[in-house]
Amino acid sequence: MMIQRSLLSTSLRRCCRKQQTIISSNFSSSASEEPPEDSATIIQGPSLLTMTGVHRPSPSLFQLPGLRSLPFWTAPESSGSQSQNRKHRVAFNDQLVTTAVEYVESNFESIRSEYFATVLGQGKETDLDSGKVLKPMEPDYDVSSKGGEHADDALHSGNWDWHSYVLNGRKNERFKERCPKTAEVIDTLEKEGLLFGTPFGFCFFSTLHGNSSIQAHSGPMNLRLRMHLPLVVPPKGDSGSEQSRPTTGIRVADQVREWHEGKAIILDDSYVHEVWNDANSPRVLLLLDLWHPDVRMEERQKISTMFSYAKEKGWIGQAKK
């Protein structure tokens, strides 16, 4: 995703940091250009107070005031009866987030099977003459490409593969052909108004290979919540060395979590967060973005109109790989 810096209009201003923008000398915009009346607006606000010693949301582009925020919206997994007896697993007992978590988790086995069959090529068909034995699906996103949301030279180390159904808000029909059940789950979330349907929306199989990491960073906005459905988690101690942190894990703000296969995690990626896999084998999850439940329907429509207008004008576009 790249956003070109210019005076977009009186309502779309310079909202991107330098490392997330490109400057086009051939691009200009007249102050007389106005977005649709039913569009949300982005304006320059007051300076942000940081370095207070307390972790707070710090999106890199912009934020919508007044939204509830927590680093994690799902309670940590615990063993034994404590986990089984927990009445409220989702923060604030939010019904929209709970619905999404329970629905995606109920399809864990199907989603995991499609990952193994499609990405790893471990399907049940073995007759090469049948035409049903397909080649493993190739990764479809270059995380080192310039201009992308995740494209910082220092952001990740090692190998991180994406196999995307939704990339920058666009659906990949090839993925839908190869992973129909996974696509159906995501399409159902979209029909229910839960899927974050903007150019900053993603859904993909995220494979973080062994001895790889994604450095601390924050997402572009606070309009979304991010779900991780762990499909493959390396066993503890797989790194072969003693560590002060989990072998494979994620930190959001000052909270550290481990993944458990089949148990979804909801996080607010507008907080500073980092991910690591110090094991010798890959960690795999289905990552997808949901609308923050506090963003009301009329707001979502105006925000979507704003993004559509920016995309039409060429201010938002797909970065070249």
Side-chain angles (χ1 to χ4, degrees):
M1 182 68 57
M2 58 183 178
I3 301 180
Q4 294 174 304
R5 172 172 289 187
S6 63
L7 291 176
L8 304 184
S9 68
T10 55
S11 60
L12 289 177
R13 303 286 183 89
R14 298 172 180 173
C15 62
C16 305
R17 293 179 179 177
K18 288 184 179 180
Q19 66 268 28
Q20 292 176 302
T21 64
I22 63 172
I23 301 176
S24 172
S25 59
N26 297 324
F27 184 86
S28 63
S29 176
S30 169
S32 63
E33 289 187 77
E34 293 291 342
E37 292 183 0
D38 59 346
S39 170
T41 63
I42 300 174
I43 62 173
Q44 292 177 320
S47 299
L48 295 178
L49 180 65
T50 62
M51 305 296 290
T52 64
V54 176
H55 289 279
R56 298 188 185 278
S58 55
S60 59
L61 297 184
F62 61 83
Q63 68 179 38
L64 181 64
L67 305 186
R68 292 172 295 175
S69 65
L70 287 172
F72 289 100
W73 280 57
T74 43
E77 291 297 315
S78 55
S79 59
S81 59
Q82 181 178 354
S83 178
Q84 296 176 357
N85 295 333
R86 180 179 289 122
K87 294 182 179 180
H88 305 302
R89 182 179 165 209
V90 173
F92 311 108
N93 196 29
D94 188 275
Q95 290 305 300
L96 292 177
V97 177
T98 299
T99 296
V101 167
E102 292 178 347
Y103 177 63
V104 173
E105 285 184 344
S106 70
N107 288 280
F108 164 72
E109 292 294 345
S110 297
I111 294 171
R112 189 173 189 268
S113 295
E114 286 190 337
Y115 172 83
F116 276 96
T118 302
V119 176
L120 301 184
Q122 298 180 2
K124 297 180 179 179
E125 297 290 339
T126 58
D127 183 1
L128 296 178
D129 295 327
S130 68
K132 297 181 180 180
V133 180
L134 301 177
K135 294 182 180 180
M137 193 162 57
E138 294 292 331
D140 55 28
Y141 183 73
D142 182 2
V143 294
S144 297
S145 63
K146 299 298 181 182
E149 177 183 326
H150 307 85
D152 187 319
D153 290 338
L155 179 59
H156 67 279
S157 61
N159 296 310
W160 181 24
D161 291 338
W162 294 33
H163 295 85
S164 307
Y165 180 39
V166 180
L167 180 61
N168 298 131
R170 295 182 177 180
K171 288 186 178 179
N172 177 2
E173 293 302 319
R174 179 61 173 165
F175 182 100
K176 189 172 185 176
E177 293 174 3
R178 299 289 299 272
C179 302
K181 183 59 181 179
T182 303
E184 178 187 338
V185 171
I186 303 307
D187 289 347
T188 299
L189 292 175
E190 182 180 36
K191 292 176 183 177
E192 294 298 320
L194 299 173
L195 191 69
F196 188 59
T198 80
F200 291 88
F202 296 87
C203 173
F204 58 92
F205 288 131
S206 172
T207 304
L208 188 65
H209 292 268
N211 301 299
S212 300
S213 63
I214 305 169
Q215 302 304 315
H217 66 288
S218 59
M221 62 196 68
N222 66 336
L223 303 177
R224 69 190 185 190
L225 294 178
R226 179 153 284 182
M227 180 188 294
H228 288 180
L229 177 68
L231 306 178
V232 179
V233 179
K236 295 182 179 180
D238 187 36
S239 65
S241 61
E242 295 185 3
Q243 292 183 315
S244 58
R245 65 181 186 181
T247 303
T248 304
I250 178 172
R251 176 184 68 84
V252 182
D254 58 352
Q255 300 181 27
V256 175
R257 297 281 179 88
E258 297 179 79
W259 293 282
H260 298 267
E261 293 179 4
K263 297 297 183 181
I265 288 178
I266 299 289
L267 62 112
D268 184 340
D269 75 330
S270 67
Y271 286 85
V272 172
H273 59 285
E274 64 176 325
V275 175
W276 63 90
N277 180 14
D278 296 332
N280 297 315
S281 55
R283 179 240 60 188
V284 181
L285 53 84
L286 176 69
L287 179 152
L288 60 106
D289 290 326
L290 306 171
W291 277 104
H292 191 295
D294 291 348
V295 182
R296 299 170 59 176
M297 190 58 65
E298 57 267 35
E299 291 178 307
R300 298 181 189 187
Q301 294 172 349
K302 290 180 178 293
I303 290 168
S304 296
T305 300
M306 176 188 71
F307 281 128
S308 295
Y309 176 76
K311 188 174 182 180
E312 177 185 339
K313 290 297 182 180
W315 302 326
I316 295 179
Q318 180 71 34
K320 294 181 179 180
K321 294 185 178 181

